Every structure is written in structure tokens, then in C-alpha cells.
Amino acid sequence: MKCMNENCKTLYMLTVVMTVFLSTLTPKFYVALTGTSSLISGLIFIFEWWYFRKYGTSFIEQVSVSHLRPLIGGAESNSSPQSSFSASNGESETNRQSLSECKVWRNPLNLFRGAEYSRYTWVTGKEPLTYYDMNLSAQDHQTFFTCETDSLRPSDAVMQKAWRERNPQARIKAAYQALELNNECATAYVLLAEEEATTIVDAEKYFRQALRAGENVYRKSQHCGSQSPQHEAQLRRDTNVLVYVKRRLAMCSRKLGRIKEAVKMMRDLMKEFPLLSVLNIHENLLEALLELQAYADVQAVLAKYDDISLPKSAAICYTAALLKARAVSDRFSPETASRRGLSTAEINAVEAIHRAVEFNPHVPKRGIITEPNEKDKKAADAAGSTTRKAFSYLLLEDCKAFTRW
């Protein structure tokens, strides 16, 4: 009881002191406090704006993710999708859970800036990429193609700055500078293939050079990958570069008409690196198989990846919907369906179409329902609309009647 009384007295005294202190404050204090906080907020805002303009990312967000989140204990569950392409089984499950909560989804069918996006600009006079798109790409490039030991190698140090540049010509110039320092700098060839090459053929040549350089560096990294954490980080980066280059080479083969070769390259890549969680190579494989009209193989890929527990994508949703619509379109008749109702297969097809449209409602109706005329095809080719060409052109006759209904 005596102890409780002492505690109560102490609490009472603190309350009295705080009351006296607050009562002695004048309005000038609150004005000064408000002005000081506004000044500090303005300085933080100006610095954040300057940092974002220069590096393409938020300083506060970067500090929160890099330094504060590990203290809270959320680093392992949220940073793994950004860490590398190659992850363990447990990390892959974590990646799927955290990626499903993201608003921004990586596009595995992304086009080449120089050979396709620039062509769209020449045809339409419009810029297809916004600053937001460029910033997201810059963050991915810095995450996948850089590591802590880049400062020890002059060519990699130059490329580390190149990925942060906003000006395309500055990036290309930096890539050539890196090649002058080291003619086996794979990331420099990757940048030139993505941005300087104006045709897919030129991009493929650069990627083949990147493949030769990347394989040599990858073999060297494998020998010393377990010596230290720095070497492990370098091995992950070299693995990321090698996988990215092989995937882009497969996409070049598909765009150049060598579809079977592209399918083989993608299958081999998925076997060689089966634990990839970020690249979603299976979606590139779906696109190539659809172009071959190998619907049985498409169904086999969907059976593995179209799981309700896995994060979805537009490619998976629309492919599943179109295959289900194709299965019932030959025997489908609106008049018969209005009399007897929809069968189980037809209901499944309708639900799949609804699910796909809900996931991504921005696929043009004209590209799905009606026969595209020559003008539409030229516009789609100019824009490099992979989703529309892969889904609309190839499966149009199979699902046109069903989707019209």
C-alpha cells in the first residue's frame, strides 16, 4: 500500500508539473512551433522531389525498405521478390504472397524500347512510356543488374550510373564507355540491345554478345560464389543477367518467326532455373505456344500455373478464358442456349471470361470480338501489341461466336 501511495504521489506531481508547464505557454510558442514544422516539412518535400528527379525513386521509401523494415522484421517476407530471380522454394511461396498484394505487376511480355516502343513513336508521334514507367524500369534494372561489389569494377560502376540516367542517349553513351573499359560487360550489351537497336535483328545480335559475356562471367562467379557474402551477391547478379539475356533471346526468336526455336529455349531455361519467381517465363511460353496453335501444350502449362492460390496475370486469365471458349464455340448456338440454358462447360467459359475481364478490362473489345481489318493490324504491329496479336488474331475464329453472344 505504501508503494502504491508513492506511485500515486509521483504521478500526481508529474501531472501538476505538466499542467503548469502547458499553462505558461503563450500563443507565440504555438505560432513558432507551427512555422518550424512547416519549414521542416517544406525542406523534406524539396529534398524528396530533388532525389526522385535525380534517381527515380523515393528517398523515404528507400530508407524505409532498406533500414526500417529489417528492424520491424518484415524484410524476409517483402524484399525477396526484388532480391533476385533465383530463389528457394520457401522464398518462392513468400514471393507469391507478397506480389499478390502489389498494385504494379511486372509485364513478362514487355517490348523492346529501341526496336518496338520507338517504332510506335515514329508511326504515331506519341510517347508510349511515361516517366512512371521509366522509373519502374530503372528500379528493376538497378535491382536485377547491380550488386554491392560493382564499385570494385570500373565497367560495372559505369553501368550502375547508366541504369539511373533518365536520358536515353546518356545511357547508351555510358554503355559504350563500359565496353571500352571491359569488352565482356554483359549489362552494357543488354542496354544497347534494349535501347539502341532499332530492329529485332539488331537487338538479337547485341543479346548474343551479352550471352557470350554473361556465360563467361557466370562461370567465374560460380567458382568463388560461396567464399563471402559479396561473392554470393555477385553470383546472384550474374545469374540474373544470364537468365534475362536468354529469355530476351527467346523472345527475339519468337518475334522473328522462329517460334519452335523460341519454345525450346524457354523450356530449357525453365528446366535450368526451375525456381524463378519474378520473370514468369511461362507466360512467354504461353504466347509462343498460342502462336503455334499448340493448344494441348497451352493447356498443360495452364494446368501447372493457373492455380487459385497463385497470383494471376492477364496472360494466364485470358488464355484460360479463350481455351474454355474455344472448347464450346463449335457446338454453341445462342438460340439453343436460350431454350435449354447454358451447359456446365459453357458456364465455366463465361466465368473464365468474366474473371479475365475483371482482372484486366483494358483489352480492346474490337480486337476480341470482330475481325481486325488491315488498318487495325498495322496499328497493332506498330504498337507491338503482343496480347492482342497472340489472343485475338489466333483464336478469333474459335471464340468469335461465343464472345459475341
Side-chain angles (χ1 to χ4, degrees):
M1 290 294 293
K2 183 178 181 180
C3 182
M4 290 181 61
N5 290 334
E6 290 179 356
N7 292 335
C8 292
K9 288 180 180 180
T10 304
L11 182 61
Y12 176 75
M13 292 298 295
L14 289 175
T15 305
V16 171
V17 170
M18 289 298 299
T19 304
V20 172
F21 173 75
L22 293 175
S23 62
T24 58
L25 296 178
T26 63
K28 293 182 179 180
F29 170 80
Y30 293 104
V31 173
L33 180 63
T34 305
T36 304
S37 60
S38 300
L39 176 62
I40 295 174
S41 300
L43 293 175
I44 294 175
F45 176 78
I46 293 172
F47 175 77
E48 180 77 4
W49 174 82
W50 169 82
Y51 192 90
F52 183 83
R53 292 278 295 179
K54 186 173 183 179
Y55 297 109
T57 186
S58 168
F59 175 78
I60 296 176
E61 179 182 359
Q62 199 170 23
V63 171
S64 301
V65 172
S66 302
H67 302 288
L68 299 182
R69 188 175 295 174
L71 298 177
I72 300 174
E76 293 183 0
S77 62
N78 291 319
S79 63
S80 57
Q82 303 286 340
S83 60
S84 66
F85 294 155
S86 48
S88 63
N89 285 326
E91 289 174 340
S92 298
E93 294 299 327
T94 307
N95 292 347
R96 291 165 184 162
Q97 294 175 4
S98 58
L99 278 175
S100 63
E101 300 174 357
C102 295
K103 294 181 180 180
V104 180
W105 194 268
R106 286 189 181 87
N107 178 18
L109 311 180
N110 58 319
L111 308 181
F112 296 92
R113 286 188 184 177
E116 293 180 301
Y117 283 127
S118 294
R119 184 173 55 165
Y120 176 83
T121 303
W122 299 335
V123 172
T124 65
K126 300 178 181 179
E127 287 290 342
L129 296 175
T130 64
Y131 283 120
Y132 182 68
D133 298 324
M134 303 291 280
N135 289 332
L136 289 178
S137 298
Q139 292 178 28
D140 281 346
H141 293 154
Q142 292 175 59
T143 302
F144 299 146
F145 299 149
T146 62
C147 66
E148 300 172 356
T149 61
D150 283 347
S151 58
L152 304 177
R153 297 176 297 278
S155 59
D156 290 334
V158 171
M159 288 306 301
Q160 195 173 38
K161 296 179 181 178
W163 295 121
R164 297 174 180 173
E165 286 286 348
R166 300 179 69 93
N167 187 351
Q169 295 304 318
R171 289 195 296 270
I172 293 172
K173 183 179 179 180
Y176 279 115
Q177 290 176 355
L179 289 176
E180 290 177 1
L181 297 171
N182 177 15
N183 60 356
E184 286 196 350
C185 184
T187 53
Y189 289 118
V190 169
L191 192 148
L192 294 176
E194 293 284 354
E195 303 200 19
E196 190 190 43
T198 56
T199 64
I200 300 298
V201 175
D202 294 337
E204 186 180 35
K205 292 178 182 178
Y206 279 123
F207 275 122
R208 292 196 183 282
Q209 291 177 289
L211 179 62
R212 287 193 292 270
E215 286 178 336
N216 293 335
V217 175
Y218 177 69
R219 282 193 292 267
K220 295 177 183 177
S221 299
Q222 278 184 312
H223 293 304
C224 56
S226 59
Q227 294 181 4
S228 66
Q230 289 77 16
H231 286 98
E232 291 179 1
Q234 185 175 341
L235 176 60
R236 285 196 300 270
R237 193 280 306 271
D238 295 336
T239 304
N240 295 345
V241 174
L242 182 63
V243 173
Y244 183 89
V245 169
K246 287 187 175 182
R247 170 177 162 270
R248 287 306 240 176
L249 274 173
M251 294 177 69
C252 287
S253 297
R254 188 198 67 77
K255 293 173 187 290
L256 293 173
R258 305 193 302 269
I259 315 298
K260 293 183 178 179
E261 177 184 339
V263 170
K264 183 179 183 304
M265 293 173 67
M266 293 175 191
R267 290 189 185 279
D268 292 343
L269 188 57
M270 293 171 68
K271 290 179 182 177
E272 187 178 0
F273 300 93
L275 300 179
L276 300 180
S277 59
V278 177
L279 274 179
N280 293 331
I281 303 174
H282 58 276
E283 297 189 15
N284 299 110
L285 179 61
L286 282 175
E287 185 186 27
L289 291 174
L290 282 174
E291 197 158 354
L292 286 175
Q293 299 187 15
Y295 300 124
D297 293 336
V298 172
Q299 189 63 55
V301 175
L302 283 179
K304 183 176 181 181
Y305 292 100
D306 189 20
D307 190 340
I308 195 66
S309 63
L310 301 178
K312 293 294 180 294
S313 69
I316 289 180
C317 289
Y318 275 93
T319 301
L322 289 170
L323 286 187
K324 290 179 180 179
R326 181 177 180 273
V328 299
S329 61
D330 293 338
R331 304 180 304 276
F332 181 77
S333 171
E335 293 79 10
T336 305
S338 61
R339 290 197 305 270
R340 62 169 174 78
L342 295 176
S343 64
T344 302
E346 292 167 348
I347 292 175
N348 291 337
V350 171
E351 290 177 350
I353 293 173
H354 287 172
R355 184 182 70 157
V357 174
E358 287 175 2
F359 186 91
N360 182 0
H362 303 293
V363 175
K365 290 183 178 180
R366 183 172 58 181
I368 296 177
I369 298 175
T370 62
E371 178 68 45
N373 55 33
E374 194 64 27
K375 183 178 179 181
D376 291 333
K377 290 182 179 180
K378 288 181 180 179
D381 290 339
S385 179
T386 52
T387 301
R388 187 174 177 183
K389 285 190 288 186
F391 298 139
S392 304
Y393 290 1
L394 297 176
L395 299 180
L396 180 66
E397 293 301 327
D398 295 320
C399 69
K400 181 164 54 176
F402 189 78
T403 52
R404 269 181 180 165
W405 184 82

